[in-house]
Amino acid sequence: TQLLEQSPQFLSIQEGENLTVYCNSSSVFSSLQWYRQEPGEGPVLLVTVVTGGEVKKLKRLTFQFGDARKDSSLHITAAQPGDTGLYLCAGGTMNRDDKIIFGKGTRLHILP
Amino acid sequence: DTGVSQDPRHKITKRGQNVTFRCDPISEHNRLYWYRQTLGQGPEFLTYFQNEAQLEKSRLLSDRFSAERPKGSFSTLEIQRTEQGDSAMYLCASSPGALLGEQYFGPGTRLTVT
């Protein structure tokens, strides 16, 4: 059974601080996505990483895919209250079932 | 806005009743997914379609659940004889299919079974 474990589960920090959240698995993924979800809404796609070792930046957010394509990290620089939300990682494999699995998410709260 | 839409946004029903949800994907996307999400959890895969063909169903999808995508466009998810454990957010997502996992979600339907 493929699992994606996200850590930490909860994180509450002051505005302006930096943070990193993690997404780990024992399985290899052909691609991995990060989403942000706000209460009562669907997840919003932030980024897709495909190549081992790939780094992508989205303003103050930096996403990295592990060399072995089993793990990923999301680093936020100078966090702002607008970054508050549930951050989900999801992985897909090119198996016959083409199923995508989600982690349980990291709930991030940025204090003003 | 041509994003994914879902209807209704909220549904309250009594145990034992049937409910049906609709999802309209982004028009050029050939893959459509249904997920269920409960509080504190990530989305759990239920089923997905490639055009009108239902290619995969999760074991979570009991016999009371059925999904259709008759013309490869919109999709419906029906739950028969609802139970309190069915209370959750039901999310629909569509994907162009070129890159597995790159999905665009609708706002979800919040189901409450009383």
Side-chain angles (χ1 to χ4, degrees), chain A residues 24-41:
Chain A
N24 294 297
S25 176
S26 57
S27 301
V28 176
F29 294 99
S30 57
S31 69
L32 191 140
Q33 286 75 34
W34 285 93
Y35 295 83
R36 181 169 67 212
Q37 186 177 24
E38 300 194 20
E41 299 294 330

Side-chain angles (χ1 to χ4, degrees), chain A residues 30-31 33 35 37 40-43 45 48 50 86 88 92-94 96-100 102-105 107, chain B residues 9 31 33 35 37 40-45 48 56 58 89 91 98-108 110:
Chain A
S30 57
S31 69
Q33 286 75 34
Y35 295 83
Q37 186 177 24
E41 299 294 330
L45 179 67
T48 294
V50 177
L86 178 67
L88 295 160
T93 59
M94 289 294 189
R96 287 184 61 188
D97 58 10
D98 286 348
K99 195 184 304 182
I100 298 153
F102 278 81
K104 292 185 178 181
R107 189 162 298 282
Chain B
R9 292 291 308 272
R31 289 194 177 198
Y33 297 79
Y35 293 88
Q37 186 177 27
Q41 302 292 319
E44 294 176 293
F45 170 82
Y48 93 96
E56 178 73 10
S58 165
M89 173 79 92
L91 293 164
L99 190 61
L100 185 65
E102 194 163 271
Q103 301 178 312
Y104 298 86
F105 282 84
R110 167 77 61 192

